[in-house]
Amino acid sequence: MKTISTNSPAATHVLRCVGCGAVQHHADRMFRCGKCSELLEVIYPDLANASHGLALRLKEIWKERRGSSFPENASGVWRFRELLPQVERSNIVTMCEGNTPLLQLGNSARALRLPHLLAKHQGMNPTGSFKDTGISAAISVAKAEGFSCVCCASTGNTSASVAAYAARAGMKSIVLLPAGHVASGKLAQALEYGAHVLQLRTDFDGCLNVLHEVVQKFPAYLLNSLNPYRLEGQKTVAFELMEQLDWIVPDHVIVPGGNLANGSALGKGFLELRDLGLIKNLPKISIIQAAGANPLARTMRENQGRELVRVNAETRATAIRIGNPASWRKAVAVLQSTGGVCEDVSEEEIALAKSKLGAEGIGCEPASAATLAGLKKLVHSGFVKATETVVLVLTGHMLKDVDYMLQAQAGQISSPIDADSAAVIKRLEKIL
Ligand code: F0G
């Protein structure tokens, strides 16, 4: 029997089609099944044979690595490398991603009458979003395969992450963005990290379609979440969360949904832990979309996940302004295997949730706040019960979209007053 090595990168992987189940060892440039063109997922056949003792040992190894200063141990992704594609140490591109805080939400918990409400803040990653975990994994595979140029289409965060990790790896990066629909913080990041930024007169879905054609003719490695190695990095949030919760599985984990890879990755992480016997049950994973960009919510409502209902996306939560999500099949499978649901929330509900989080000192971007807005609906519908533990995954940092906040808080900005203590005290007496 093959076992997982405990001190070197782990089980070898293969790629399996999520549509027809065909297995292949290498992916083409588009990361599509050679038989039916559906998306691929990474699987580790050896893991099925892992003994329970070995699985328990993994928990110890992962914990020990937290105290190590080697980059591949300090990374909240590569620390779990037994459950990742094997990559030579010299090809690992890491900036200590992952390792994000799990925060108690006091006021929001009280308002919803939930005893245990937590936020896993993925906006605390090196470039300010959860994308860093996935990009670290996939760009390391790209480096190992000898690529010197990477690319993505993006609503903003992927572009920032790709640009930063490419710079660290000494690679060129190309990003295609929907002109006029990317929050300025994200655009500024991509430029500052040295990406070649092309703004296209279309939306995210249009950018991704163009990129599909580009990569077939141009030697750039695709780092969008069609790339199954992205999900391998992103799934590690489940491992880290379980460590932080002392391996007690929460009842619900709630994520925002755009292209639908992140909810899929989270589900994959929990399923792998269950298959290894490290957890006995799964949390219900629910996905929240903006009402103006709700293809999954409609797909579940209108045909129970059988056929994607595409929409013309429009929302001020620009990160999730996506109408034709690539990973919808994977996301439907996660909802079905964990018993989660997909809900959509209005622009007003997102804005209110974001300000509530802000008022308890937890900043995040609008897309992330959709999780709290969705939770409110799920509590009211009775899907989330008063005794249950809930974790919201906050996907992006507050400073990504400053314009959104300044607009929302415009009424709070006071007009300038004289630089004089009496004038200041007079004003304070009025407002306090
Ligand atoms: N939250 C934030 C902050 C995001 O940037 C994204 C996606 C999501 C949630 C949704 O994740 O697409 O895996 O369902 N942003 C992508 C980008 C599309 O290009 O940055 P998903």
Side-chain angles (χ1 to χ4, degrees):
M1 186 183 91
K2 265 193 172 178
T3 55
I4 306 166
S5 156
T6 50
N7 52 14
S8 66
T12 47
H13 72 274
V14 293
L15 299 168
R16 185 174 64 193
C17 174
V18 298
C20 72
V23 166
Q24 58 191 70
H25 291 270
H26 298 287
D28 65 14
R29 284 167 169 274
M30 296 302 305
F31 300 99
R32 294 276 177 180
C33 171
K35 291 205 168 119
C36 75
S37 300
E38 254 302 336
L39 292 189
L40 302 170
E41 63 180 344
V42 176
I43 55 163
Y44 306 89
D46 293 351
L47 286 186
N49 301 325
S51 68
H52 188 56
L54 180 64
L56 289 178
R57 175 88 186 101
L58 281 181
K59 266 170 59 170
E60 295 304 312
I61 293 166
W62 295 339
K63 198 168 164 186
E64 275 163 28
R65 285 181 185 149
R66 271 194 286 179
S68 156
S69 56
F70 285 116
E72 68 275 24
N73 292 342
S75 164
V77 169
W78 294 99
R79 192 155 63 78
F80 303 104
R81 56 189 170 272
E82 286 76 13
L83 302 186
L84 293 178
Q86 293 187 41
V87 175
E88 290 269 337
R89 206 170 159 189
S90 59
N91 288 322
I92 290 180
V93 188
T94 173
M95 287 198 276
C96 208
E97 53 288 317
N99 300 311
T100 57
L102 182 64
L103 306 164
Q104 295 269 0
L105 295 179
N107 295 347
S108 303
R110 274 188 291 281
L112 293 171
R113 297 183 205 286
L114 289 173
H116 308 293
L117 177 57
L118 300 154
K120 176 73 174 152
H121 207 326
Q122 294 289 85
M124 300 301 186
N125 268 289
T127 76
S129 84
F130 72 96
K131 304 288 179 179
D132 294 340
T133 55
I135 299 301
S136 175
I139 204 168
S140 300
V141 172
K143 192 171 172 202
E145 290 184 9
F147 281 86
S148 58
C149 181
V150 291
C151 65
C152 70
S154 178
T155 58
N157 280 323
T158 304
S159 70
S161 184
V162 164
Y165 278 80
R168 298 295 296 167
M171 294 181 186
K172 289 194 174 71
S173 63
I174 301 164
V175 305
L176 305 190
L177 303 178
H181 292 289
V182 174
S184 56
K186 304 173 189 179
L187 177 60
Q189 281 183 294
L191 294 167
E192 182 97 356
Y193 293 133
H196 298 281
V197 176
L198 303 179
Q199 301 198 66
L200 306 193
R201 279 186 223 98
T202 180
D203 55 11
F204 168 82
D205 302 298
C207 289
L208 196 53
N209 286 341
V210 170
L211 193 62
H212 284 179
E213 291 174 25
V214 171
V215 290
Q216 294 181 48
K217 300 172 193 147
F218 193 86
Y221 183 89
L222 184 70
L223 280 177
N224 275 99
S225 53
L226 304 170
N227 180 327
Y229 299 115
R230 275 274 309 273
L231 277 69
E232 293 311 284
Q234 286 172 215
K235 78 183 180 187
T236 59
V237 68
F239 310 160
E240 195 174 287
L241 181 59
M242 287 317 303
E243 284 185 332
Q244 288 169 312
L245 291 173
D246 219 2
W247 297 90
I248 298 168
V249 180
D251 298 291
H252 296 271
V253 183
I254 302 182
V255 277
N259 215 17
L260 298 177
N262 202 34
S264 309
L266 184 69
K268 188 172 193 285
F270 277 108
L271 284 160
E272 286 179 4
L273 292 181
R274 192 202 49 190
D275 292 349
L276 274 168
L278 292 179
I279 55 175
K280 292 221 165 12
N281 53 316
L282 297 169
K284 291 188 176 74
I285 295 178
S286 293
I287 299 177
I288 312 297
Q289 297 196 299
N294 62 352
L296 182 66
R298 286 194 54 186
T299 297
M300 297 309 290
R301 233 177 264 150
E302 292 171 27
N303 64 56
Q304 292 77 50
R306 281 190 300 277
E307 200 179 320
L308 179 66
V309 180
R310 293 185 181 82
V311 304
N312 284 324
E314 199 48 82
T315 169
R316 289 178 61 226
T318 50
I320 50 174
R321 188 174 175 271
I322 296 175
N324 182 17
S327 293
W328 71 275
R329 270 187 209 283
K330 291 185 181 182
V332 169
V334 165
L335 295 183
Q336 290 171 345
S337 57
T338 68
V341 292
C342 182
E343 186 58 82
D344 55 3
V345 289
S346 69
E347 296 295 301
E348 294 73 29
E349 288 167 326
I350 293 174
L352 180 65
K354 183 167 151 49
S355 68
K356 294 274 182 220
L357 287 166
E360 58 179 306
I362 312 268
C364 65
E365 62 170 287
S368 312
T371 55
L372 180 61
L375 171 63
K376 201 169 165 185
K377 282 185 127 174
L378 297 179
V379 168
H380 288 156
S381 73
F383 181 74
V384 173
K385 307 208 168 38
T387 50
E388 293 183 319
T389 301
V390 181
V391 178
L392 305 179
V393 180
L394 302 182
T395 45
H397 197 281
M398 170 188 220
L399 294 177
K400 292 276 190 172
D401 197 346
V402 172
D403 295 337
Y404 183 100
M405 285 187 288
L406 285 176
Q407 238 177 337
Q409 303 297 341
Q412 307 302 317
I413 304 172
S414 65
S415 52
I417 51 174
D418 291 338
D420 166 279
S421 61
V424 169
I425 289 168
K426 197 168 159 210
R427 181 64 67 88
L428 289 177
E429 280 168 352
K430 254 196 199 165
I431 55 178
L432 288 181

